[in-house]
Amino acid sequence: MAFSPKKGVTLGFGLSGEDWSWGKYQVNQVVASGNYENGLLTLLPLRFQSGESLFNFSGTLGGEQQSGQLIAQNVPVAALRDLFKLPIAIDGKLNTNVSVGGSIGNPQLGGELVLSEATLNGQQLPPLRSLFGYVNARLDFDGKVIGDEVNTFQLNGSIPYAFPFMTVAPNSNELSLDVNIRNNGIALLSLFTDQVAWEGGEGDVRLQVRGTLNPALTNPIRLNASGNATFTNAIFSAKTLPENLTNVNGTILFDNDRIQVQQIQGQFGQGLVTAQGVLPLLIPLSPTDPDAALPLTVVTGDDGSDKISLELEERYVGNVNGKVMITGTALRPLVGGEIVLSDGRVILPSDDSTTPVAVAAAATPSTPSFFIPPQFNNLKINLGDRVRVTSDPILSFVANGSLIVNGTLDDLSPDGTIYLRQGQVNLFATQFNLLRDYDNRAVFSPARGLDPYVDVRLVTSVPEVVRAPVANNSSLFGVAELADTTTSPSTDYGSLQTIRVQASVTGPASQISNNLELTSSPSRTETELVALIGGNFVSSIGQAADNPTLALASVAGSTLLSGLQNLISEATGLTDFRLFPTSISSENARSSTLGLAAELGLDITNNVSASVLQILTAEEPTRFSLRYRINDQLLLRGSSNLNGDSRAVLEYQTRF
């Protein structure tokens, strides 16, 4: 190494190494030999070699007269993909021979590139060969598939582009691209967009594209195309679709500045999808353009009435039908129209995903691209028959209503109201049902994304055991003014009454537990209600010492029978329907067996209710009951089995 004011830094170097590694890649031999003098870097050579893979460059870079030769043999494409962070799922082996000339301000490149043993998105590709030249800030190329007459791929074009360090500009900003592709050669189109991928079938694409490119290479400012594309039993995948579009048949015409889809049909989600209409390439159609009345329209079936199954992970699972209109341009599509959801589930976020989607998306910088992912443009979504809004395991509601959706799949912006007709919310150890005469609803707004503002009223009935105090008359001090609450075993069980509990939930669906208000009839404090609601499981465990069989049956029954109870309650309109295990005593009361009982309850008014109780596994008479709550202190109850056992009780209770 030397330095002089006239020549600057002069540096000579020689490096040789073996068994180097870069991440998961191993390099058996590394050689770097050369010098740096008068602003010129000379490499004689720079070489990386590992097995059959070789990368070798010899020449001089920099100054006004640079020259060199780059040879690559069997270089793994995956290594280049990882090095340059290319967003393309391509693998294979790269062979190239490139001559380097020109100057640092106007580099000249020319050579040949061969891609072999290649796969794209997991699909095998035929060998691809391309001749290319980069002269005066313009790339010219001519590529085609080698030795495959069935899977044709011919692509040639001319694209202007100057790198930031260059001192020359293209002689024009005009671009050209000629495409002739058949069958699996279409898969190579994924090199230019990661939004749509070819998965198989037959296709024939013949296309000529002419246009003007923005010098900054951010987007074209003029684009015309001519040609056609024909598909027979083709298969496509897309980022915006949860599964493949199969059995695609039809023709697309490229007519200058627009695409004309001449009825393409395909299978999606076990249903038929039909597309037809016009979509401009680059500039949206004016309202006076005749084709503006014929937007590209996608329908389920022939008229939008056929249902297809759709599964959007963590968003929706169920059937869809309707009509979707695609406007905007092919490079910036807008999705509108109207669709109907049925027999499905809309899935709400859980507590660990309460941050609005829009905020998270805004923090992620987007990569500039010619193609912008589809955006929803006032897409109307109607909730049809048997659609549930769920957030497992907290809530499940049968719902209807409509939403207007904007944004993208990763940043949905819904606006509208969904009305909740039936359903349950699991709070503590008790299941609450929707209060049917209340206008229960979930209001979606763009600011909250998929976390709606919920306004619901729910009700449930829980048992409360009231133990009557027994006076201790044997006391030497007489009857106390406040009775001793010591009880005998015969009276320890007390009497049973039903507490009607109402839960009011107002706030975000993801924060139900933080926006819960409990009230009851008769009135109880919130602490007492929480104890009652969560006490069913605890009380069942408490039975274990005296009657382990009944305790186990109570716990199992509350889990296994709850689904059936809800189904029958919703189908019949009953206020309460309970299936529960019970202990049945023998005639001499010396033994008992485990049985199953059913109780049907109906609220006639807020204060009057009727119920029917029947033991299903024994020949016991049916018991009919009527209950009238006069106020929080007075309760009138009556019951009869219509077989000589009738009773009526007027209860007075005060709490202090």
Side-chain angles (χ1 to χ4, degrees):
M1 178 178 178
F3 174 80
S4 68
K6 184 177 180 180
K7 293 185 177 182
V9 176
T10 300
L11 173 67
F13 56 87
L15 173 67
S16 178
E18 295 181 351
D19 299 327
W20 286 29
S21 64
W22 173 56
K24 61 182 179 180
Y25 301 103
Q26 302 296 320
V27 181
N28 299 139
Q29 185 182 37
V30 177
V31 176
S33 178
N35 61 75
Y36 179 79
E37 185 176 359
N38 294 326
L40 301 178
L41 175 64
T42 300
L43 297 169
L44 296 171
L46 173 64
R47 176 185 296 169
F48 299 91
Q49 187 169 5
S50 182
E52 298 180 349
S53 300
L54 171 68
F55 179 94
N56 188 94
F57 177 80
S58 297
T60 300
L61 300 175
E64 295 300 320
Q65 295 292 329
Q66 61 184 10
S67 64
Q69 192 78 16
L70 171 64
I71 297 175
Q73 296 176 355
N74 300 315
V75 174
V77 175
L80 299 177
R81 184 190 65 206
D82 294 342
L83 176 62
F84 296 104
K85 302 189 182 303
L86 301 176
I88 305 172
I90 186 171
D91 289 296
K93 293 182 178 180
L94 179 67
N95 295 270
T96 187
N97 190 333
V98 180
S99 297
V100 179
S103 65
I104 192 66
N106 183 16
Q108 315 285 313
L109 301 175
E112 178 187 43
L113 180 149
V114 176
L115 182 64
S116 60
E117 301 179 22
T119 61
L120 185 62
N121 295 320
Q123 184 174 352
Q124 192 72 33
L125 297 178
L128 177 68
R129 175 179 180 266
S130 177
L131 300 176
F132 66 92
Y134 184 74
V135 179
N136 296 326
R138 178 173 289 274
L139 174 65
D140 297 302
F141 55 91
D142 183 4
K144 64 180 180 179
V145 165
I146 303 173
D148 193 332
E149 300 299 327
V150 176
N151 300 302
T152 304
F153 181 88
Q154 293 181 337
L155 177 66
N156 59 73
S158 180
I159 299 176
Y161 181 69
F163 291 94
F165 61 85
M166 294 175 59
T167 59
V168 299
N171 56 2
S172 75
N173 291 320
E174 300 298 309
L175 67 87
S176 66
L177 188 66
D178 294 335
V179 180
N180 183 5
I181 312 175
R182 289 198 318 175
N183 300 334
N184 286 343
I186 299 174
L188 289 169
L189 291 179
S190 296
L191 294 171
F192 306 99
T193 175
D194 60 351
Q195 299 297 317
V196 180
W198 173 268
E199 303 293 344
E202 297 181 8
D204 190 348
V205 179
R206 300 176 186 272
L207 178 63
Q208 289 184 334
V209 178
R210 301 292 183 267
T212 303
L213 195 63
N214 187 318
L217 198 64
T218 55
N219 59 278
I221 56 179
R222 181 183 63 84
L223 202 61
N224 290 324
S226 61
N228 62 76
T230 303
F231 303 103
T232 303
N233 298 325
I235 304 173
F236 290 93
S237 63
K239 276 192 170 183
T240 55
L241 297 178
E243 58 184 272
N244 289 348
L245 186 63
T246 63
N247 296 326
V248 178
N249 295 274
T251 301
I252 299 174
L253 295 181
F254 298 92
D255 184 12
N256 293 320
D257 63 342
R258 63 199 64 188
I259 302 172
Q260 295 183 353
V261 179
Q262 298 184 337
Q263 195 178 62
I264 285 186
Q265 290 188 331
Q267 295 288 327
F268 180 80
Q270 301 178 349
L272 180 66
V273 177
T274 303
Q276 187 172 7
V278 178
L279 183 65
L281 282 172
L282 184 63
I283 301 175
L285 299 175
S286 67
T288 58
D289 192 307
D291 284 338
L294 302 171
L296 179 57
T297 303
V298 181
V299 300
T300 57
D302 293 321
D303 57 2
S305 60
D306 290 2
K307 296 179 180 179
I308 61 174
S309 60
L310 182 66
E311 182 174 349
L312 297 176
E313 185 178 359
E314 297 182 357
R315 290 182 178 91
Y316 175 74
V317 179
N319 291 336
V320 176
N321 67 283
K323 179 184 297 185
V324 173
M325 290 184 295
I326 302 175
T327 56
T329 68
L331 300 184
R332 297 173 179 264
L334 301 175
V335 180
E338 183 174 357
I339 62 175
V340 179
L341 309 182
S342 60
D343 297 299
R345 293 190 304 126
V346 177
I347 303 169
L348 300 178
S350 56
D351 283 338
D352 58 357
S353 58
T354 57
T355 301
V357 179
V359 175
T364 304
S366 59
T367 301
S369 172
F370 288 164
F371 182 83
I372 304 300
Q375 292 192 345
F376 295 112
N377 180 34
N378 292 326
L379 175 66
K380 186 176 183 180
I381 299 179
N382 296 316
L383 272 60
D385 297 333
R386 296 174 296 279
V387 175
R388 284 189 173 270
V389 177
T390 66
S391 181
D392 295 333
I394 302 299
L395 61 85
S396 177
F397 297 136
V398 175
N400 58 28
S402 62
L403 296 174
I404 301 297
V405 179
N406 291 284
T408 65
L409 274 177
D410 294 327
D411 185 14
L412 288 177
S413 180
D415 188 11
T417 301
I418 300 299
Y419 297 94
L420 310 175
R421 302 307 183 191
Q422 298 175 346
Q424 307 83 34
V425 172
N426 294 312
L427 298 174
F428 307 104
T430 301
Q431 189 172 77
F432 283 74
N433 296 313
L434 280 175
L435 184 62
R436 298 188 182 185
D437 57 357
Y438 186 78
D439 193 16
N440 301 289
R441 64 182 64 193
V443 180
F444 289 82
S445 64
R448 294 207 58 85
L450 294 178
D451 187 17
Y453 189 87
V454 177
D455 182 12
V456 297
R457 299 292 182 269
L458 305 112
V459 294
T460 191
S461 296
V462 294
E464 181 187 52
V465 176
V466 180
R467 291 180 172 87
V470 178
N472 188 353
N473 295 325
S474 61
S475 172
L476 296 175
F477 300 99
V479 179
E481 183 176 350
L482 295 177
D484 188 349
T485 57
T486 303
T487 56
S488 65
S490 61
T491 61
D492 185 51
Y493 297 105
S495 62
L496 187 68
Q497 70 172 335
T498 299
I499 304 297
R500 184 79 165 171
V501 181
Q502 177 173 298
S504 301
V505 179
T506 304
S510 60
Q511 300 177 23
I512 282 181
S513 58
N514 299 326
N515 298 286
L516 174 66
E517 181 183 356
L518 296 175
T519 58
S520 69
S521 175
S523 178
R524 296 291 185 266
T525 67
E526 191 162 289
T527 301
E528 292 172 323
L529 291 176
V530 170
L532 288 172
I533 293 169
N536 294 334
F537 178 82
V538 176
S539 63
S540 296
I541 297 301
Q543 297 174 4
D546 299 328
N547 194 335
T549 302
L550 181 58
L552 180 61
S554 297
V555 174
S558 64
T559 302
L560 299 177
L561 299 177
S562 60
L564 178 60
Q565 294 172 178
N566 295 331
L567 181 64
I568 295 177
S569 294
E570 292 180 3
T572 59
L574 294 171
T575 304
D576 294 302
F577 175 76
R578 295 194 304 131
L579 289 170
F580 56 93
T582 186
S583 180
I584 304 173
S585 301
S586 61
E587 293 183 1
N588 55 15
R590 293 182 178 180
S591 64
S592 63
T593 59
L594 185 64
L596 181 66
E599 183 179 22
L600 287 71
L602 179 65
D603 286 345
I604 302 172
T605 69
N606 290 334
N607 297 320
V608 179
S609 62
S611 65
V612 178
L613 176 66
Q614 177 65 58
I615 297 177
L616 304 178
T617 55
E619 294 184 359
E620 296 285 342
T622 304
R623 178 164 293 277
F624 302 89
S625 300
L626 188 65
R627 179 174 176 270
Y628 172 51
R629 175 160 292 282
I630 302 172
N631 53 42
D632 279 350
Q633 287 75 40
L634 291 174
L635 175 66
L636 178 62
R637 296 190 297 178
S639 66
S640 174
N641 62 4
L642 305 182
N643 195 28
D645 184 6
S646 301
R647 63 191 70 180
V649 177
L650 177 63
E651 296 182 359
Y652 174 80
Q653 181 180 13
T654 186
R655 301 171 63 84
F656 55 88

